[in-house]
Amino acid sequence: MKLIIAYIQPQRLTQIKEALAKAGICKMSVTNALGCGQQMGYEENYRGVKLSVNLLKKVRLEIAVTEEYLKKTVDIILEAANTGSIGDGKIFVLELAECYRIRTREKGKVAIG
Amino acid sequence: MKLIIAYIQPQRLTQIKEALAKAGICKMSVTNALGCGQQMGYEENYRGVKLSVNLLKKVRLEIAVTEEYLKKTVDIILEAANTGSIGDGKIFVLELAECYRIRTREKGKVAIG
Amino acid sequence: MKLIIAYIQPQRLTQIKEALAKAGICKMSVTNALGCGQQMGYEENYRGVKLSVNLLKKVRLEIAVTEEYLKKTVDIILEAANTGSIGDGKIFVLELAECYRIRTREKGKVAIG
Amino acid sequence: MNLSRFVFSAVLLLSLGAHGVLGAEETTGSGVETAIMAVSETSEPASIQNLAQLVTKAAEAAGTAQDSANWVWILLAAFLVMFMQPGFAMLEAGLTRSKNAGNIMMKNLMDFSIGSIAYFVIGFGIMFGADKLGLFGSDGFLLSAANTAGKEGMWQYAFWMFQVVFAATAATIVSGAMAERTKFVGYLVYSVCITMFVYPVVGHWIWGGGWLSTLETPMVDFAGSTVVHSVGGWLALCGALVLGPRLGKYGPNGESKAILGHNMPLAALGVFILWFAWFGFNAGSTTEASQSIGLISVTTNLAAAAGAIGAMITVWIKEKKPDPSMSLNGVLAGLVAITAGCANVSPGAAIAIGFIAGILVVFSVEFIDQVLHVDDPVGAISVHGVCGAWGTLAVGLFASKEFGGIAGLFNGGGLALLKSQLLGVVTVFVWCMVLGTLLFLAIKYTIGLRVSKEDELRGLDITEHGVESYGGFQIFTTD
Amino acid sequence: MNLSRFVFSAVLLLSLGAHGVLGAEETTGSGVETAIMAVSETSEPASIQNLAQLVTKAAEAAGTAQDSANWVWILLAAFLVMFMQPGFAMLEAGLTRSKNAGNIMMKNLMDFSIGSIAYFVIGFGIMFGADKLGLFGSDGFLLSAANTAGKEGMWQYAFWMFQVVFAATAATIVSGAMAERTKFVGYLVYSVCITMFVYPVVGHWIWGGGWLSTLETPMVDFAGSTVVHSVGGWLALCGALVLGPRLGKYGPNGESKAILGHNMPLAALGVFILWFAWFGFNAGSTTEASQSIGLISVTTNLAAAAGAIGAMITVWIKEKKPDPSMSLNGVLAGLVAITAGCANVSPGAAIAIGFIAGILVVFSVEFIDQVLHVDDPVGAISVHGVCGAWGTLAVGLFASKEFGGIAGLFNGGGLALLKSQLLGVVTVFVWCMVLGTLLFLAIKYTIGLRVSKEDELRGLDITEHGVESYGGFQIFTTD
Amino acid sequence: MNLSRFVFSAVLLLSLGAHGVLGAEETTGSGVETAIMAVSETSEPASIQNLAQLVTKAAEAAGTAQDSANWVWILLAAFLVMFMQPGFAMLEAGLTRSKNAGNIMMKNLMDFSIGSIAYFVIGFGIMFGADKLGLFGSDGFLLSAANTAGKEGMWQYAFWMFQVVFAATAATIVSGAMAERTKFVGYLVYSVCITMFVYPVVGHWIWGGGWLSTLETPMVDFAGSTVVHSVGGWLALCGALVLGPRLGKYGPNGESKAILGHNMPLAALGVFILWFAWFGFNAGSTTEASQSIGLISVTTNLAAAAGAIGAMITVWIKEKKPDPSMSLNGVLAGLVAITAGCANVSPGAAIAIGFIAGILVVFSVEFIDQVLHVDDPVGAISVHGVCGAWGTLAVGLFASKEFGGIAGLFNGGGLALLKSQLLGVVTVFVWCMVLGTLLFLAIKYTIGLRVSKEDELRGLDITEHGVESYGGFQIFTTD
Ligand SMILES: Nc1ncnc2c1ncn2[C@@H]1O[C@H](COP(=O)(O)OP(=O)(O)O)[C@@H](O)[C@H]1O
Ligand SMILES: Nc1ncnc2c1ncn2[C@@H]1O[C@H](COP(=O)(O)OP(=O)(O)O)[C@@H](O)[C@H]1O
Ligand SMILES: Nc1ncnc2c1ncn2[C@@H]1O[C@H](COP(=O)(O)OP(=O)(O)O)[C@@H](O)[C@H]1O
């Protein structure tokens, strides 16, 4: 099993969710995050003082998948999150050692979906 | 060492925290998250227009534990987070390669607790 | 590749970011979190009723790095985040199985920075 | 001749002076010309007869000018009291959780809306209609005593406007104590009942010519510590009792738990608005532009200030920190307490009354919460019920002949007034507790008074109104 | 002699009575002494001559006192109407997203600021200057008709103050319908044009002596359902049409999507402020402290209440939940609708007018959104345009001789008034749609009316004003 | 006989006209009957004697009516000025960080509360008591000059009510510049000292008969650009100097860093409230219902509008974006600047004064922040101190005989007035800087003026008041 973490542009969330749902991947967790990277941020000006904002709003997805869904999920995100401009984000894949569904206490692959 | 990530129903946080504390697990990090899964969300109605909300409020726990505490921690969460209804959440367990306590620069198992 | 997760005192964020940037590590993701640990929290008093707050504000960093940058990054954080008092936080290091840059669909080490 | 010139100008000026009653269509400019023409046409010789006629007109004009000032004043006051609605709404919302903020807005909006209609149809008649047995009024429903034929009929409109905002205030007070768990439809029903019946009956007793106003020493409740605030406060007590505490408010061993409000600036804004509006409430209760409105404003302001200080000091000593929400309650405690006696006590006494109210409210909030285990999220019972009673009794202590013509215990007036005040406080308490309990129980066992456990947890905004109040904001809630 | 004593005291009192006009420097205390001295010096024997002189002075004093009440009233009303600005600002901000809140504040602040200057320089003259062809006024620019020489000149200042806040209201209404996507500089330009020209022309037609006020049966629009609200509403319609909907407001198949507001308490506060301020708007439109201000306040309040109820019930039935934002719109619908007829209809009729407006606004909002696909985030077109028209027509139905001197269809007045009302509604609609469309198109093709797609996504606060409105708050936005 | 009929009706009407002073208990209705009875009993034959008596009564009634209007006006104004408190509170909270919002509410609540008592006990006497050496007043403490015996005594209450809200305004201004780092108890102490002594002394000099008001050409500060605003502004400067900047406000090389406010709609609401309330501040300073209140409202409104425009344009040019917080400051700059001269300048001059103030405030804020390195989170020093001084001097330039009876430099009045204005500005500056520095240093070295570093980082809400202001909201703070 794998845990996919993806940082995306906020405005792409709906699109990604829909694309994943179409492929049968309906379970995920979402948090809002701030990202700093190549996309340099911007300068605001507050009461005459420069203020550089270099933490930009991102959305963080966390999706646990079985190996068979891994590629599909990553591909869909790569597809749907792509705007072609700097700041589009990253996908990280981690090894998932175990997974439980709290409601049923199921464990492993069956608990994922 | 393992890193436990748990998505739970917000209203169970206090209960879980107390149960874990009783078992000597007092360290954890908490973030609020939005989850989408089997629990289908709900429909709101704003100014005559349907609005389906399918990202539900969840709480995300992150607990780093040593192997010996792993089962205990997972079991307590499975117990205390269970309401028996859809949406109770998941527990993910990841391999934790290393751990540092910033204050003391300790490393490894001693740094966890 | 490794994924570094660090919980730090909020007021150290700027310092850490600057120190990392100086070392060429400019990419990271930030979320706000609540932490509970040895730093016992505090007691508020609301309308005559005691209220113990034991979830304290922390900032969570997530930094994906290649092996060569790992030690540097951890050391910098250990340095810049240290205030010497309880509550300074933890650094967790996870194995990162794969990494993609959404914009270019690059994969692996090249995608990290 | 010199005299006739004077007479002419007098007529001219009278017409101008009186033109305030000529109807709204006419602009000021055109009034002048009309008057001049009128004078030119009636240029009869001056005589004592003419002069007398002119004096009458001058007197008429002066009377009209005073009427105008009265009308302006009572309406200004009414508008201010109406503005209490957002004051209460912001305070209540600020001191409760974000998941119920929209519901609170709806409650405050609709109790005023439905209450306005209910008071128009029924309540006003019960309060100010022809007295029956000293208990209630019996005519004047649907504003039938008002008309456009003359001053008296016109006055009824202005007077109703002033009274309806008071009725709505009494109703809206209850809302705070029952916040975060009451079914919206149940809320609407009891709110109507209060404005339509429970409040107007008490109002009749004390202000409408009922039995408490015809005692040998009539009860003094100038602007309504009892009529409005205690009524609201005691009904709030009934409501909170019947309803039970919010989920999680009391631990398994009965220990009280803090449920934090979500927006302190909003709550403070509400209190500032209420302080501002209270000047209309108290000084407006003269219902006319008399000179005593200055004095009343002074006592009102000093009592509010002293209430804030009293509450802040008390909570600072007791809990080691100057708690903002208690200090805000202190302002209201002072205001509620001075409401009965604002025209009858000296500024110094006002400070005493307010200060004691400020102390009282802190102990009362903690007593009701921690001893009685009645869950009142905003402290409405303590502020309006307890301090309303205190303020009413305080008139019996502090009233001074110099100010309102009657003396209390401390100013040589003996116990007579204090007894009347006590009688009023007690009978109104009993009336409200009995009626209130019946009312809330009736609702509980018919349409239902409380939302389900799940709905309460998710918040009334989504479950009762289908919408979140703070779209987009990340709010960390664990309940 | 007895008589002279009277005469002296009379003179004394007159001086006191009149001292309100002596100028502001003088304090009340010193006025008394001056008067006493004046009397001592002129102790001539009493005669009918003297008496006549005194009567004149008494009359003068009475006139002055009435004037004082008038001045107080019109300025109180003006201040209240000015207070509508934050009302609209909070409502609009509350019903839109947090990323545009600062932009909305700036718009509401600057339209009033720039509008004040524009109305001072040009607008007021066009509205109330000497009539040309019944179409517009032609003098009085830069407040040139005002002066400090006498009452008439002084009145012009007070009157202008009252009128400028109306002009700003008309302009600010438009802002809501065009929220979240309009270029700030474009906003400023059209806002000036409205206060300077589009609104004053309509104002002249109906209030400034223009053709609609000189019809055989003149159009009745007491406080401006048409003059202010419909003008604002129809211009909002033009603006929203030219501008197009917000990104994401309509799906690929044209289905409407909900874009949640970000702060319901703020929106509700706005509506409460508007309700409060509306008393100044309607009752202040007498422009003098006449006795009818009580009646007008009553009809205003009842219509607002009925509007809230009407909207709440309608949306409750249609959508199964009592939607807060629609109920808030209902209040405004009732207020807008009663504005034309507030001095001409009975309280009962006011309830009917308001209730119907409340129902209407719900259907209208849904129709405009879901059928016309015009994106109006706060419902300004429905509230001000549609309900303004309804309220204006309603005068033709419900007007009653007893109240404003003219009867509508339901009170035996036949169709005459209704026809005038309809004529007014239609011509103002046409005028606004034509002028508005030209205006917005002109801006669109010159300086630009809409921000870029990226700017809209990021929010106007950052892109237009370089600053976030809620620094530090975690806000989850996916667009 | 015809004549006596007139006499009777005259008496009747006079009684009605005068009934406004009969005391508040009496309802309007019953007043009529009493009057009729009184007339029936005294039906003596009409004569010139009677007539004279009647004229006296008519004059009396007219005087009373004017008094009523005066009372209504001064109290309305006082209420409005009181409403400035939430205006300042919301503005200050909005422009600072969320972790200190509750502390700001407490400060604004308590400075008004404690200030009210302090001004009652001491301040009012120092300001308006019997003059000593032209420097301070020496009696009238505890409102001892007020009584219910007659008009003069009653007036004192109304007058005190109006003055106390001014005193509280001066005190509350300081709060903004010292926000986010001041110890609460230190705040309370200096706030009392200001209302009790520092402010009243200046008030005495200019308004209370002190030396600046008895110069050959007396200083003109109609509503208090200097008395209230400069005093507040200069004390704010002392406070901010003694206190030092917030942690993180200046970088290691002294470069200024932006610390964003947390709630722009709240700040804007505050400014709108202040604009609204300022009409009471300026036009109310006539302290009577004279006709000049219209003019004063006009100049006030135009200056505020011009100030907003001036600041917006300036910051737009300088920083490329129309910064909302600077535009809000611009409104206040215009209002502060016109306060001294609102009754003495033409509308056109008001626009000039306001516009220049708007430009000035932008440069001043940047100068104080970036050159002087004085940390003033809300710009209080620039808005109140600098623009207060500018407005006071501007009277010496723009004053016109036509408006307030005295001419400034630009209207042929020469330098006389400008010199007096300058003298006032300078001496008040010196007085405030000396007293203020002593005061703040005294507090610093006794009870302490600034919170600890840790407390400042965590925010004053938790450390000083033990409670968060936005319970549940996720707020991202890195300091
Ligand atoms: N090494 C990293 N560790 C953690 N987060 C990262 C890393 N690199 C990028 N991110 C996240 O991805 C977002 C986009 O990265 P950025 O470098 O701006 O664009 P791009 O990936 O298109 O070059 C960042 O804002 C950050 O949230
Ligand atoms: N595969 C997954 N990846 C990430 N988060 C998940 C996954 N499955 C479930 N979750 C989280 O757990 C929550 C509960 O899941 P849900 O399917 O609704 O209930 P249940 O697990 O009881 O069937 C979701 O809202 C989501 O936050
Ligand atoms: N085992 C853990 N799992 C997850 N988070 C932890 C763990 N231990 C500490 N943390 C995070 O680190 C923060 C600081 O830890 P704490 O024990 O208070 O201080 P210290 O590490 O200096 O002893 C906590 O608030 C929490 O957010």
Side-chain angles (χ1 to χ4, degrees), chain E residues 324-385:
Chain E
S325 81
M326 279 291 196
S327 308
L328 294 173
N329 276 171
V331 172
L332 300 185
L335 287 165
V336 167
I338 199 61
T339 294
C342 56
N344 293 71
V345 304
S346 70
I351 293 178
I353 292 172
F355 191 78
I356 294 170
I359 298 173
L360 202 59
V361 80
V362 176
F363 284 96
S364 173
V365 163
E366 302 197 357
F367 180 79
I368 287 172
D369 179 17
Q370 290 165 35
V371 179
L372 298 188
H373 286 184
V374 171
D375 180 19
D376 175 2
V378 305
I381 303 165
S382 302
V383 165
H384 300 277

Side-chain angles (χ1 to χ4, degrees), chain A residues 35-36 38-39 58 87 90, chain C residues 27 29 62 64 101 103 112:
Chain A
C36 117
Q38 239 166 280
Q39 189 190 12
K58 301 285 165 191
K90 297 277 168 74
Chain C
K27 301 217 161 180
S29 297
E62 217 169 74
R101 186 195 308 281
R103 175 166 47 95
I112 259 187

Side-chain angles (χ1 to χ4, degrees), chain C residues 44-49 51, chain D residues 95 258 260-261 264 308-331 361-362 365-366, chain F residues 102-103 105-106 109-110 184 461-462 464-468:
Chain C
E44 289 183 359
N45 208 307
Y46 181 67
R47 299 179 73 73
V49 182
L51 168 71
Chain D
L95 295 186
L260 281 183
M264 194 52 71
I309 298 171
M312 182 188 71
I313 292 178
T314 310
V315 79
W316 206 333
I317 292 171
K318 285 194 68 192
E319 318 289 354
K320 308 289 168 298
K321 297 251 168 132
D323 182 82
S325 81
M326 279 292 195
S327 309
L328 294 174
N329 275 172
V331 172
V361 80
V362 176
V365 162
E366 301 196 358
Chain F
N103 172 258
M105 295 303 122
M106 277 301 277
L109 193 76
M110 296 317 300
F184 185 58
D461 283 6
I462 286 175
E464 291 279 276
H465 306 285
V467 76
E468 275 175 281

Side-chain angles (χ1 to χ4, degrees), chain D residues 151-344:
Chain D
K151 190 179 125 175
E152 289 313 301
M154 287 299 267
W155 177 253
Q156 287 298 310
Y157 291 115
F159 187 67
W160 181 86
M161 188 65 224
F162 185 68
Q163 292 301 332
V164 70
V165 289
F166 274 65
T169 302
T172 218
I173 287 167
V174 185
S175 161
M178 299 175 67
E180 307 205 87
R181 56 207 193 278
T182 306
K183 238 174 134 166
F184 184 60
V185 70
Y187 180 81
L188 295 182
V189 170
Y190 81 65
S191 175
V192 169
C193 296
I194 291 172
T195 355
M196 202 166 66
F197 186 69
V198 186
Y199 163 80
V201 167
V202 174
H204 184 78
W205 295 354
I206 301 174
W207 290 347
W211 68 278
L212 280 166
S213 66
T214 53
L215 296 176
E216 202 174 340
T217 308
M219 179 181 177
V220 173
D221 187 10
F222 185 74
S225 283
T226 287
V227 177
V228 180
H229 295 286
S230 282
V231 166
W234 303 140
L235 290 170
L237 175 56
C238 299
L241 274 170
V242 173
L243 204 50
R246 287 169 291 174
L247 293 175
K249 175 63 192 152
Y250 296 105
N253 312 316
E255 77 279 13
S256 177
K257 299 213 172 148
I259 299 181
L260 281 183
H262 85 279
N263 201 327
M264 194 52 71
L266 208 62
L269 176 62
V271 167
F272 277 118
I273 288 178
L274 287 168
W275 192 334
F276 171 59
W278 223 287
F279 290 113
F281 203 93
N282 284 3
S285 286
T286 57
T287 68
E288 57 185 9
S290 73
Q291 296 183 0
S292 57
I293 58 180
L295 167 66
I296 297 173
S297 302
V298 171
T299 54
T300 300
N301 194 59
L302 287 174
I309 298 171
M312 182 188 71
I313 292 178
T314 310
V315 79
W316 206 333
I317 292 171
K318 285 194 68 192
E319 318 289 354
K320 308 289 168 298
K321 297 251 168 132
D323 182 82
S325 81
M326 279 292 195
S327 309
L328 294 174
N329 275 172
V331 172
L332 300 185
L335 287 166
V336 167
I338 198 61
T339 296
C342 56
N344 292 72

Side-chain angles (χ1 to χ4, degrees), chain B residues 2-4 25-30 61-66 96 99-104 106 111-113, chain C residues 6-9 33-41 54-59 84-92:
Chain B
K2 290 283 190 303
L3 186 71
I4 300 171
I25 305 148
C26 319
K27 303 216 159 181
M28 73 185 80
S29 298
V30 182
L61 303 180
E62 214 168 78
I63 313 179
V65 292
T66 54
L96 181 58
C99 169
Y100 302 82
R101 185 194 308 281
I102 292 173
R103 176 166 46 94
T104 58
E106 284 164 294
I112 259 187
Chain C
Y7 286 93
I8 58 164
Q9 293 284 29
L34 296 167
C36 120
Q38 240 168 277
Q39 188 190 16
M40 296 304 297
N54 48 25
L55 288 175
L56 300 172
K57 294 198 165 123
K58 302 284 165 194
V59 161
S85 47
I86 291 177
D88 273 358
K90 297 278 168 73
I91 302 177
F92 303 126

